[in-house]
Amino acid sequence: MRVAAIDCGTNSIRLLIADVDGGRVHDVSRVMKVVRLGEGVDVSGRLSPAALTRTWDAVSEYAAAIEASGAQRLRMVATSASRDAANADEFVAGVVARLGQAPEVISGDHEAELSFRGARSVLDLPGEVLVVDIGGGSTEFVVGDTDVRAALSVDMGCVRMTERHLRDDPPSAAQIRAATSDIDDAVESARAVTAFEHAEYFIGLAGSVTTVAALALGLPAYDSTRIHGSRISAADVHRVTQQMLAATRAQRAAEPVMHPGRVDVIGGGALVLDRIMAAGRFPEVIVSEHDILDGIVLELAQ
């Protein structure tokens, strides 16, 4: 069955058109655009007109691609920013006008379960795993073996931490300390609920993790085939995090693997990853290019 899934988060909006056969996802098209829907939401509580326009333009492009693909089913999921915003109804109305159906504004727990299912569908690891999806506004922690044992979504992400703390270029030592303290508090709340430190493996999802992996691997260009399934040591994650926090915007932008939409927020995203690994004493992170989108299409095809 050919299905299409759209995941609209705080930083990016992504499309997966896939053929699903026997619980396996075969990509037809996988696209990502950074639209920063959640820009300023942490302070204002509202989606800005510019952010809405950027997002709606991407939805229009995706709608045309879906129609051309002949997908039999479509589902759009909206996550952190649209949960937090006071004018979420305006966002929904604009999506309906362009896509023909409303996005599902899902809970953090449901988001976590979909991310877990997507990652587990392509990474066959024995025993209990921790799956962490570091987004723009929220981060999902999910622990389980074949099924979810515990999950929690916390308001901590690369955009939220950058806007809240890491404002200078590069951020000051005081700003980094404040962000670290904020992140550690959120990570501890997740540890208290999920006991994630007992997991045998740590799987990291989403753009902050894959970008850190690409930097740690020293790739000459972003290469998803080399990034997916790679194992990045805690020492290498810490090294890249320190480099990104110390770099200027121009220096980060010059990295050949850096997507333009991640230049401003990679320091915050890397710091989240680094602090989770420290809290759980994980020796490495296993990187997955498959995530909530895969979980959505698997549910759609059932």
Side-chain angles (χ1 to χ4, degrees):
M1 177 180 292
R2 178 160 294 183
V3 298
I6 299 174
D7 168 41
C8 185
T10 300
N11 194 45
S12 64
I13 182 169
R14 300 178 304 140
L15 166 69
L16 172 60
I17 301 171
D19 294 326
V20 183
D21 178 22
R24 305 296 293 182
V25 176
H26 306 281
D27 289 14
V28 174
S29 177
R30 196 179 287 257
V31 185
M32 186 271 288
K33 295 179 180 293
V34 173
V35 294
R36 199 68 58 84
L37 176 63
E39 185 174 41
V41 167
D42 193 49
V43 174
S44 70
R46 297 182 63 83
L47 302 169
S48 73
L52 286 169
T53 297
R54 292 192 299 265
T55 305
W56 289 334
D57 286 348
V59 170
S60 295
E61 288 186 39
Y62 288 174
I66 292 165
E67 183 176 3
S69 76
Q72 297 163 264
R73 295 179 183 174
L74 163 64
R75 184 181 183 190
M76 178 175 173
V77 164
T79 52
S80 179
S82 49
R83 283 197 300 264
D84 298 343
N87 59 334
D89 55 342
E90 184 181 355
F91 163 68
V92 170
V95 170
V96 171
R98 292 158 177 84
L99 196 63
Q101 68 181 61
E104 295 179 50
V105 181
I106 62 173
S107 69
D109 286 347
H110 192 189
E111 185 178 356
E113 290 170 7
L114 289 170
S115 295
F116 181 85
R117 184 174 184 184
R120 286 301 258 156
S121 70
V122 292
L123 290 174
D124 186 17
L125 299 167
E128 190 165 86
V129 301
L130 165 66
V131 175
V132 172
D133 187 337
I134 301 173
S138 66
T139 293
E140 284 65 53
F141 293 77
V142 202
V143 178
D145 189 342
T146 55
D147 297 312
V148 173
R149 174 179 65 74
L152 187 71
S153 178
V154 298
D155 286 339
M156 168 185 71
C158 60
V159 174
R160 196 183 296 270
M161 290 301 103
T162 301
E163 290 186 349
R164 188 178 290 177
H165 301 293
L166 307 174
R167 301 188 188 95
D168 289 351
D169 179 32
S172 67
Q175 289 173 346
I176 294 170
R177 285 195 299 271
T180 300
S181 177
D182 200 355
I183 291 167
D184 286 350
D185 287 345
V187 172
E188 175 55 26
S189 69
R191 190 204 61 76
V193 170
T194 65
F196 65 67
E197 70 274 19
H198 299 301
E200 297 172 63
Y201 303 95
F202 173 33
I203 301 173
L205 314 181
S208 290
V209 177
T210 57
T211 302
V212 168
L215 291 165
L217 292 168
L219 300 181
Y222 193 93
D223 184 347
S224 60
T225 60
R226 292 189 61 185
I227 292 166
H228 179 68
S230 63
R231 294 173 180 247
I232 309 301
S233 71
D236 279 344
V237 168
H238 187 68
R239 171 180 59 81
V240 170
T241 300
Q242 295 304 304
Q243 289 173 347
M244 291 299 99
L245 290 171
T248 64
R249 189 187 193 286
Q251 289 169 329
R252 296 190 301 272
E255 294 286 352
V257 300
M258 190 70 64
H259 187 284
R262 300 213 180 276
V263 173
D264 293 335
V265 296
I266 186 58
L271 187 59
V272 170
L273 176 61
D274 187 44
R275 299 310 298 169
I276 294 170
M277 295 189 75
R281 298 184 179 179
F282 295 109
E284 64 182 11
V285 58
I286 303 170
V287 181
S288 176
E289 286 273 3
H290 298 264
D291 48 37
I292 189 173
L293 277 174
D294 300 74
I296 295 168
V297 300
L298 286 167
E299 274 199 351
L300 264 179
Q302 283 184 335

